Amino acid sequence: MLGKWLTNQTVNIIDSVKDWKEAIQLCATPLLKNNAISQNYINAIFQLHESIGPYYVLAPGIAMPHARPEQGVNQLGLSMLLVKQGVKFNSEDNDPVYLVTLLAANDSTSHIEMLTQLATLFGESNDMLTIFKAQHRDEILAVINQY
């Protein structure tokens, strides 16, 4: 199921970023290109982060930025960015973040199965370690395609 959304076009690896905003912007780029989201969606995530903090940092090393469907989602989408050197999101218990998975849901229900699969993946420590240590996109996709 995740392999339908996380593909060569939507999964990327980068050595480093200057800050959390750049990480989110780079993660969002494939979804901007395929028109799943507009820049308004990214701006909404930035504004939410500024007002309530890094609400989307789920666990050590893992962030899943998202905003409301009406804030710039055109269609269901998912993208993933591995930041090899990690990036601080100002989440005391979970920094640095290595894996940014951007979720774009166009309604309140269509993404539930996707979230269930992501939760299963994020809970599998061996698979997450493989992703965190990946040097090439194919290594990440090999794990993703099991879910």
Side-chain angles (χ1 to χ4, degrees), residues 89-127:
F89 277 78
N90 301 315
S91 176
E92 187 176 325
D93 295 334
N94 297 315
D95 276 340
V97 167
Y98 297 96
L99 189 66
V100 181
T101 302
L102 193 128
L103 172 66
N106 56 348
D107 59 39
S108 60
T109 58
S110 61
H111 63 290
I112 300 299
E113 186 178 344
M114 187 186 288
L115 280 177
T116 301
Q117 292 299 312
L118 284 168
T120 302
L121 168 62
F122 294 160
E124 290 293 331
S125 57
N126 287 339
D127 285 342

Side-chain angles (χ1 to χ4, degrees), residues 3-14:
K4 175 181 176 184
W5 302 102
L6 294 171
T7 66
N8 279 320
Q9 289 74 41
T10 58
V11 174
N12 290 292
I13 300 175
I14 193 164

Side-chain angles (χ1 to χ4, degrees), residues 34-93:
N34 72 14
N35 202 36
I37 60 171
S38 70
Q39 184 61 41
N40 291 342
Y41 190 69
I42 305 310
N43 295 342
I45 293 169
F46 291 166
Q47 290 167 355
L48 281 166
H49 181 115
E50 298 289 350
S51 65
I52 63 173
Y55 61 94
Y56 49 80
V57 179
L58 306 177
I62 302 171
M64 192 164 62
H66 60 282
R68 303 276 315 140
E70 64 272 13
Q71 293 176 298
V73 178
N74 299 317
Q75 62 191 33
L76 187 61
L78 193 63
S79 60
M80 185 176 277
L81 177 70
L82 177 67
V83 182
K84 290 183 187 179
Q85 294 182 19
V87 59
K88 289 188 178 187
F89 277 78
N90 301 315
S91 176
E92 187 176 325
D93 295 334

